[in-house]
C-alpha cells in the first residue's frame, strides 16, 4: 500500500514498522480537522529519511518541537503540513525540498520566516499564520511561483518591497498584524482579486495609514493611484 493513516489521541511516536514501507507515498498522522483533537507526538524520528518515495506528509496538530535535518532527504515531497505544533524553528535542510509546493506552518511558535524557505522555488502555497513572525526576509522574492501566502495573526510591522515581486500571488492574507503602511509597489500585485464575493487580500486588524483602509478596499488600481498622487504632491 502506498498510503497510510495512523490515528489515535494517544499517538506519541511513529511505529518503527512504518520505516520499512519504502514504497509509501502518503503518510498521515494528524487528527481530522473537525475533531479539534491534538495528538501527543513530540518528535519526528530521523528514520523518516527511509521513506524516500513520500510525496505527502501530514503531521498537523501534534506536539512537535523540532523537525530532524533528515527531512531534507525526502526529495519527492510535494506537500508538508506541520500546523498546530510547537515548532520554534525549522532545519536549514528544508530548503532542499525542491518539489515541495505546499507548506503549512500555521499556529506554531516561529518568530521569523526561515531563510531556507525562500529556496523552495516550486512553492505555490505557504501558510505561516498565527505565529510571532515580525519580519519577512527580502529573499522571499525567489518564490516566483507562490500563489497563496497566508500571514494572518503575526507581528509584522512592515512588508519588504520584495513581496511586490511575487507577481503570481492570487491570495495574500495580512490580517491582524501591526502594519501601518504598504510598499509603494503593492499595487503591482495585479493578480490579487478584490472581488465582492471573495477577497483574496485581507488587511483587517491592521492600523493602516498609508494607504488608508478605504483605499485598500479599492484593489490594486486604487492603491497605485494613491501612491501616484503622493508623488505628484
Amino acid at each position: 500500500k502506498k498510503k497510510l493513516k495512523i490515528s489515535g489521541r494517544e499517538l506519541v511516536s511513529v511505529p518503527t514498522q512504518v520505516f520499512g514501507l519504502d514504497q509509501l507515498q502518503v503518510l498521515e498522522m494528524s487528527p481530522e480537522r473537525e475533531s479539534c483533537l491534538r495528538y501527543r507526538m513530540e518528535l519526528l524520528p530521523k528514520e523518516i529519511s527511509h521513506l524516500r518515495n513520500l510525496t505527502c506528509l501530514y503531521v498537523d496538530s501534534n506536539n512537535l518541537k523540532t523537525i530532524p535535518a533528515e527531512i531534507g532527504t525526502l526529495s519527492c515531497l510535494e506537500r508538508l503540513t506541520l500546523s498546530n505544533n510547537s515548532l520554534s524553528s525549522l532545519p536549514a535542510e528544508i530548503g532542499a525540498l525542491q518539489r515541495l509546493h505546499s507548506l503549512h506552518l500555521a499556529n506554531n511558535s516561529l518568530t521569523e520566516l526561515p531563510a531556507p524557505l525562500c529556496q523552495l522555488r516550486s512553492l505555490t502555497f505557504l501558510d505561516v499564520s498565527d505565529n510571532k513572525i515580525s519580519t519577512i526576509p527580502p529573499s522571499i522574492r525567489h518564490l516566483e511561483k507562490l500563489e497563496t501566502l497566508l500571514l494572518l495573526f503575526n507581528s509584522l510591522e512592515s512588508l519588504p518591497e520584495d513581496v511586490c515581486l511575487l507577481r503570481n500571488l492570487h491570495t495574500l492574507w495580512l490580517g491582524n498584524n501591526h502594519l501601518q503602511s504598504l510598499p509603494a509597489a503593492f499595487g503591482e500585485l495585479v493578480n490579487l482579486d478584490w472581488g465582492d464575493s471573495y477577497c483574496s487580500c485581507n488587511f483587517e486588524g491592521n492600523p493602516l495609514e498609508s494607504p488608508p483602509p478605504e483605499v485598500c478596499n479599492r484593489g490594486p488600481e486604487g492603491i497605485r493611484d494613491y501612491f501616484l498622487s503622493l508623488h505628484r504632491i
Side-chain angles (χ1 to χ4, degrees):
K1 291 185 177 180
K2 297 186 177 181
K3 181 176 181 178
L4 177 64
K5 177 176 174 63
I6 303 174
S7 60
R9 69 171 67 205
E10 299 305 317
L11 180 66
V12 295
S13 63
V14 186
T16 55
Q17 298 94 321
V18 170
F19 303 121
L21 303 175
D22 55 4
Q23 297 304 308
L24 200 62
Q25 293 180 346
V26 179
L27 177 56
E28 185 173 351
M29 296 179 287
S30 302
E32 301 295 335
R33 286 186 181 180
E34 298 78 14
S35 70
C36 297
L37 285 177
R38 204 162 177 144
Y39 294 169
R40 296 168 52 202
M41 186 161 53
E42 296 185 2
L43 176 69
L44 193 63
K46 62 182 181 181
E47 287 81 7
I48 196 74
S49 62
H50 296 172
L51 305 179
R52 294 296 178 89
N53 288 300
L54 273 188
T55 58
C56 299
L57 178 58
Y58 302 92
V59 210
D60 297 297
S61 298
N62 276 276
N63 194 25
L64 294 176
K65 294 178 170 57
T66 60
I67 300 297
E70 286 76 8
I71 196 79
T73 65
L74 303 180
S75 58
C76 294
L77 206 60
E78 298 176 359
R79 185 176 177 88
L80 176 59
T81 68
L82 297 165
S83 296
N84 303 319
N85 279 288
S86 302
L87 298 171
S88 58
S89 63
L90 295 173
E93 288 78 5
I94 206 165
L97 302 177
Q98 288 305 308
R99 292 192 187 182
L100 199 68
H101 60 69
S102 183
L103 179 58
H104 298 236
L105 292 165
N107 194 21
N108 277 284
S109 300
L110 300 173
T111 55
E112 60 183 0
L113 197 62
L117 295 191
C118 300
Q119 301 169 21
L120 301 175
R121 303 300 173 84
S122 295
L123 208 60
T124 61
F125 182 100
L126 176 58
D127 182 2
V128 287
S129 302
D130 205 2
N131 281 280
K132 299 173 185 175
I133 294 171
S134 58
T135 57
I136 304 294
S139 51
I140 197 170
R141 66 182 181 277
H142 296 311
L143 299 180
E144 300 166 354
K145 296 183 180 179
L146 200 62
E147 296 178 3
T148 300
L149 177 57
L150 307 183
L151 291 160
L152 296 89
F153 293 97
N154 277 294
S155 302
L156 294 173
E157 296 184 355
S158 64
L159 286 178
E161 289 274 351
D162 302 82
V163 169
C164 305
L165 298 175
L166 302 177
R167 299 299 168 82
N168 285 312
L169 273 184
H170 289 272
T171 303
L172 175 59
W173 288 1
L174 297 163
N176 293 90
N177 278 281
H178 307 306
L179 298 173
Q180 295 186 13
S181 63
L182 298 178
F186 196 90
E188 301 303 317
L189 295 174
V190 294
N191 284 319
L192 292 175
D193 177 19
W194 268 261
D196 292 332
S197 58
Y198 176 69
C199 183
S200 69
C201 194
N202 174 291
F203 300 106
E204 244 175 66
N206 284 286
L208 276 173
E209 297 176 1
S210 177
E214 60 270 19
V215 172
C216 292
N217 292 337
R218 297 176 201 158
E221 195 169 315
I223 293 174
R224 280 201 306 272
D225 291 346
Y226 171 83
F227 282 113
L228 283 172
S229 67
L230 291 183
H231 287 303
R232 294 193 196 104
I233 296 174

